[in-house]
């Protein structure tokens, strides 16, 4: 089992302009098991992005440790796929080449990585867009590409930082439903970060509530799958869970 | 507008050739008007050919220089110098610009220097270039190199600095190492600025070339103008000036503009000059 585990993780930023230190993350301990979908929810500024960037290896941590499959992580690496809020697609590559980028970095030959990329594009209903450039796609389509680009690299864990925050509300619901469907098909390990309580509950097996750089509480979400919004908006259990998490976040 | 709009939908290729034909006509029309005025004014005021040539004499000079092979020799020499100097300039400037761009400290330190030399690029270097390389090929290629180098290096640096950091993060979390980061992210990401730099640098280089050739050599378009002056051959001078202008337009329209189209516009990247 490839467990992602954070042990007493801490981050202190130094702000050179103010000349002072900011404790963004204090003593966060968390395990994400293989095949689990964990949402981290909390108000803006509570340290969500900082935690994700440390796991991704984009910034160093100042205390504790991060282990993946028992091995400490420090640098970015292909076993931790990242989906960015700003999509971060390569504008100079076609959709097909964006999705095939990870396999290319592993040295997979062109024909094989095109096959892989097409398979994942089909998974996201994007086969028709293979030869387009990112700037020719809508925001929703771009983020679908962002998600399958990370998945096509077969990471041990998928890290997502508010990936649907910059698309319109209708598209966001569709993307959320698609993500749960893809998760059910492939069972990737996901750490999903959001400030949106209902999004966190809708997607996850477990919701972690973060406040001022600390874990406040965790809530198991044992709602049946597949999950679709039309059903869940009427579901009492979903409403109860969401209300509970919302209360924690607001108290945070 | 209406016509181009509906054409665009049915046949983008046809629409583009129609609109580029229209563009070419708009471009050529004022030049033809200028030639027409010239053809009327010179005989009308009976202007001395030592002051300004007639249209016909320039035509004759053109035919003569093509027939006796002097024009191809001058054009060939000039293009070779520009080509070589530009090539050396690009090949050295792009790696340096990228190296500077990835290190903020190096970039901050060198930026004012490169700004300074970008402004100075080209003509101002001719005297010292002739001291270093003697009169001839070396000095001229150096001036061209110089005009291209600083502008391209500075623009490359600028290009690398404007690549969003998340793109680098995305690449490295997909498994890109240092080399892949360079070839897959930094180079294409900086390309819009590199192309802008090359366009600006070549503009400097072309002017620098003509000036340097007047001073430092015995073949080339600049030399052709300069020698004709000694013999009051205004028709050769004017013909040379026309060749210089037309060649630049061809280089710009047939080489640089299509390069910009193929990259920047296709990718939807705005040029950040
Ligand atoms: N590079 C930085 N330098 C200094 N302080 C930072 C930096 N990045 C984030 N912070 C601070 O750390 C805290 C957590 O930020 P962040 O992780 O972005 O929160 P979230 O993603 O939950 O909104 C905030 O107080 C923020 O101002
Ligand atoms: Mg954030």
């Amino acid at each position: 089992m490839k467990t992602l585990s954070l042990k007493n993780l801490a981050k202190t930023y130094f702000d050179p302009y103010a000349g002072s230190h900011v404790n963004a993350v204090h003593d966060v301990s968390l395990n994400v098991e293989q095949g689990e979908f964990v949402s981290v929810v909390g108000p803006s500024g509570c340290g969500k992005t900082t935690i994700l960037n440390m796991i991704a290896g984009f910034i160093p941590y100042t205390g504790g440790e991060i282990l993946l499959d028992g091995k400490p992580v420090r640098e970015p690496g292909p076993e931790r796929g990242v989906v960015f809020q700003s999509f971060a697609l390569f504008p100079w590559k076609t959709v097909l080449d964006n999705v095939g980028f990870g396999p290319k970095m592993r040295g997979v030959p062109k024909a094989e990585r095109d096959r892989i990329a097409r398979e994942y594009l089909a998974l996201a209903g994007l086969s028709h867009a293979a030869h387009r450039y990112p700037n020719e796609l809508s925001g929703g389509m771009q983020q679908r590409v962002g998600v399958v680009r990370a998945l096509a690299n077969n990471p041990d864990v998928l890290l997502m930082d508010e990936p649907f925050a910059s698309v319109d509300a209708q598209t966001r619901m569709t993307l959320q439903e698609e993500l749960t469907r893809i998760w059910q098909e492939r069972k990737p390990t996901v750490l999903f970060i959001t400030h949106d309580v209902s999004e966190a509950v809708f997607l996850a097996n477990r919701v972690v509530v973060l406040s001022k750089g600390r874990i406040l509480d965790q809530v198991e979400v044992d709602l049946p799958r597949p999950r679709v919004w039309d059903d869940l908006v009427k579901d009492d259990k979903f409403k109860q869970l969401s209300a509970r998490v919302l209360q924690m976040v607001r108290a945070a | 507008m209406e016509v181009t709009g509906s054409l665009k939908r049915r046949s983008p290729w046809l629409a583009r050739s129609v609109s580029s034909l229209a563009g070419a006509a708009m471009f050529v029309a004022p030049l033809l008007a200028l030639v027409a005025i010239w053809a009327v004014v010179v005989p009308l005021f009976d202007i001395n050919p030592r002051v300004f040539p007639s249209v016909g004499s320039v035509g004759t000079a053109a035919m003569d220089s093509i027939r006796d092979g002097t024009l191809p020799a001058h054009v060939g020499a000039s293009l070779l110098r520009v080509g070589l100097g530009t090539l050396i300039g690009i090949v050295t400037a792009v790696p340096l610009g990228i190296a500077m761009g990835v290190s903020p400290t190096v970039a901050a330190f060198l930026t004012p220097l490169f700004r300074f030399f970008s402004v100075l690029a080209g003509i101002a270097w001719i005297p010292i270039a002739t001291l270093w390389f003697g009169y001839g090929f070396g000095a001229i290629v150096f001036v061209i190199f110089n005009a291209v180098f600083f502008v391209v290096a500075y623009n490359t640096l600028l290009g690398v600095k404007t690549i969003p950091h998340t793109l680098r993060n995305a690449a490295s979390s997909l498994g890109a190492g240092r080399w892949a980061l360079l070839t897959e992210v930094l180079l294409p990401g900086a390309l819009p600025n590199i192309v802008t730099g090359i366009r600006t640098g070549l503009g400097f280089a072309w002017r620098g070339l003509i000036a340097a050739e007047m001073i430092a050599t015995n073949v080339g378009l600049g030399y052709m103008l300069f020698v004709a002056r000694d013999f009051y051959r205004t028709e050769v001078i004017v013909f040379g000036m026309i060749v210089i202008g037309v060649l630049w337009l061809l280089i710009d329209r047939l080489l640089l503009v299509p390069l910009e189209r193929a990259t920047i516009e296709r990718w939807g990247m705005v040029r950040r000059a």
Side-chain angles (χ1 to χ4, degrees), chain A residues 6-13 21-30 45-48 50-51 54 61-65 208-216:
Chain A
L6 317 183
K7 290 185 177 159
N8 310 106
L9 187 64
K11 174 72 183 181
T12 305
Y13 286 111
H21 294 272
V22 183
N23 292 316
V25 175
H26 314 259
D27 199 32
V28 164
S29 296
L30 176 70
C46 72
K48 303 182 296 293
T50 302
I51 291 175
M54 289 190 286
Y61 39 96
T62 49
E65 58 182 347
V208 174
V209 180
L210 201 68
S211 164
K212 302 189 184 89
R214 288 195 170 81
I215 291 179
L216 203 64

Side-chain angles (χ1 to χ4, degrees), chain A residues 58 76-78 80 82 84 86 88-93 101-102 104-105 131 133 135-136 149-150 153, chain B residues 163 166-177 180 184-186 188-190 265-269:
Chain A
F58 300 151
R80 284 156 286 136
V82 182
F84 299 83
S86 60
L89 302 179
F90 305 118
W92 46 86
K93 287 182 183 293
F101 187 81
K104 184 178 184 183
M105 294 301 103
H131 296 290
Y133 284 86
N135 75 300
E136 299 167 337
R149 179 178 68 175
N153 214 18
Chain B
I163 298 170
T166 49
L167 287 186
R168 290 199 225 174
N169 282 344
S172 49
S173 73
L174 287 165
E184 303 276 352
V185 180
L186 300 181
E265 286 181 22
R266 184 87 208 260
W267 303 338
M269 295 165 82

Side-chain angles (χ1 to χ4, degrees), chain A residues 14 28 34 43 68 82 86 94 117 133 138 144 151 167 171 173 178-179 195-196 216:
Chain A
F14 179 68
V28 164
Q34 187 172 328
L68 181 61
V82 182
S86 60
T94 61
Y133 284 86
S138 68
R144 286 183 179 94
L151 280 174
V167 298
T171 310
M173 291 171 112
E178 280 178 17
L179 182 61
H195 64 267
D196 179 340
L216 203 64

Side-chain angles (χ1 to χ4, degrees), chain A residues 118-183:
Chain A
R118 282 183 192 286
E119 178 195 323
Y120 279 91
L121 285 175
L123 190 67
L126 279 171
S127 299
H128 62 284
H131 296 290
R132 303 235 223 126
Y133 284 86
N135 75 300
E136 299 167 337
L137 306 181
S138 68
M141 285 166 85
Q142 290 190 41
Q143 195 56 303
R144 286 183 179 94
V145 177
V147 172
V148 293
R149 179 178 68 175
L151 280 174
N153 214 18
N154 228 339
D156 294 336
V157 56
L158 193 59
L159 307 169
M160 307 177 80
D161 187 2
E162 313 215 16
F164 306 145
S166 50
V167 298
D168 66 85
Q170 309 307 321
T171 310
R172 186 179 313 139
M173 291 171 112
T174 313
L175 288 172
Q176 289 160 347
E177 288 175 345
E178 280 178 17
L179 182 61
T180 58
R181 174 177 59 76
I182 290 173
W183 181 81

